[in-house]
Structure formats: C-alpha cells, structure tokens
C-alpha cells in the first residue's frame, strides 16, 4: 500500500473532511475509490464525494456522516494500492534498483526517495543523493543517471 494523502481535519457538521494528497493523481479521491485509513487495521474508506478546496480536497467517506465521525478519522494517513500506469514512473518501483552513471559506473542501490522542493532525491546505500531530474533511463533492475562531474565526490 502507498501513502496517498492525509485527513487533515473535519469540515462542517455532516462528516466531510479536508484531505491533502501527497500524489499528483486526483483520481485517488474520485467517488468510488477505496482508501485505507492508518491504524484501525487499515480500515477501508470509500469516497462518496470530493470537491477541490484550494490545493486540498473536501471529501465525504461512506460511513462517516457526522462531526464525531470526521473527528475520529482526522490527522490520519490514507493509503491505496499502486495504480497500473505503464507510462508512469513510481517511487516505490525505484527502491532496490541499482544506479548507474552515464559512464557505466555503478554508484549504489536506491534505498529510498526523499521529497525535496527542487527535485525529489534518490537516496543511495552509499549515502549519495541524486536528484531525479538527472534520471535518463530505467530498466527492471537499474536506473541510469547523467550527473555533473563531482556529484559523487
């Protein structure tokens, strides 16, 4: 399951909540979508309605129909299964891949991806950080990067 958003706070008296997405995929809050709430054993929540609210969303979930229900799920993370999109590069798919620079030198293995305002960073087991903007190709087991001289020094 992937982290896709967070229930920030209640909105009104009828069970609506404000949701912040940590993905650029708005379909994560489309009506009918099932999300898992952290804690409660991954309690499934089905989206009934969603409306853009600035950079966030006002969402109504099935089974959450009053202020008490919305307060119970507030300040909790939302998870979902990965989407099938062959055109997309997913962060969870990068973890464990070998990083090879433009000269064919293996530089390490991706252990995580760190959010960064300028560009997300590949965190390598060697301790190196590589901006995703330098990624040029991917295969099932590796990623190729074209980095400036001195990045790995």
């Amino acid at each position: 399951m992937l982290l896709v958003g967070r229930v920030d706070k209640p909105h009104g008296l009828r069970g609506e909540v404000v949701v912040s997405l940590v993905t650029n995929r708005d379909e994560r809050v489309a009506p009918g979508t099932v999300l898992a709430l952290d804690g409660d054993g991954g309690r499934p929540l089905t989206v009934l309605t969603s409306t853009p609210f600035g950079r966030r969303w006002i969402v109504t979930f099935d089974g959450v129909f009053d202020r008490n229900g919305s307060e119970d799920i507030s300040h909790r993370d939302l998870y979902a299964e990965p989407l099938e999109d062959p055109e997309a590069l997913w962060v969870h798919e990068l973890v464990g891949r070998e990083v090879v620079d433009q000269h064919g030198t293996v530089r390490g293995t991706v252990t995580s991806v760190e959010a960064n305002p300028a560009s997300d960073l590949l965190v390598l087991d060697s301790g190196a950080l590589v901006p995703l903007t330098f990624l040029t190709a991917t295969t099932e087991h590796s990623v190729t990067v074209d980095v400036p001289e001195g990045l790995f020094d």
Side-chain angles (χ1 to χ4, degrees):
M1 298 288 274
L2 303 175
L3 175 67
V4 296
R6 180 166 180 79
V7 178
D8 292 333
K9 62 181 183 173
H11 183 82
L13 301 174
R14 297 188 186 127
E16 296 172 316
V17 292
V18 176
V19 171
S20 295
L21 292 178
V22 296
T23 175
N24 62 350
R25 305 295 296 251
D26 295 344
E27 65 262 34
R28 292 300 196 177
V29 289
T33 301
V34 178
L35 302 173
L37 186 66
D38 75 336
D40 292 343
R43 173 181 161 195
L45 294 173
T46 303
V47 177
L48 294 179
T49 65
S50 63
T51 307
F53 182 62
R55 288 184 275 170
R56 299 185 290 177
W57 294 82
I58 296 175
V59 178
T60 304
F61 290 107
D62 188 24
V64 182
F65 297 112
D66 60 17
R67 180 74 179 203
N68 289 337
S70 62
E71 287 175 355
D72 288 343
I73 65 171
S74 291
H75 311 292
R76 312 249 311 264
D77 291 331
L78 296 167
Y79 294 86
E81 294 290 335
L83 296 172
E84 293 296 324
D85 185 349
E87 299 297 315
L89 178 64
W90 302 104
V91 169
H92 70 279
E93 293 175 347
L94 296 174
V95 175
R97 291 190 187 182
E98 195 171 64
V99 176
V100 180
D101 69 16
Q102 67 269 27
H103 307 293
T105 305
V106 175
R107 296 300 186 158
T109 302
V110 178
T111 59
S112 65
V113 178
E114 185 176 301
N116 185 35
S119 173
D120 289 349
L121 302 169
L122 298 174
V123 179
L124 307 186
D125 58 356
S126 64
L129 302 174
V130 180
L132 268 177
T133 55
F134 296 147
L135 192 134
T136 58
T138 63
T139 68
E140 189 176 333
H141 302 289
S142 68
V143 295
T144 303
V145 295
D146 187 357
V147 298
E149 290 297 320
L151 182 74
F152 292 108
D153 292 339

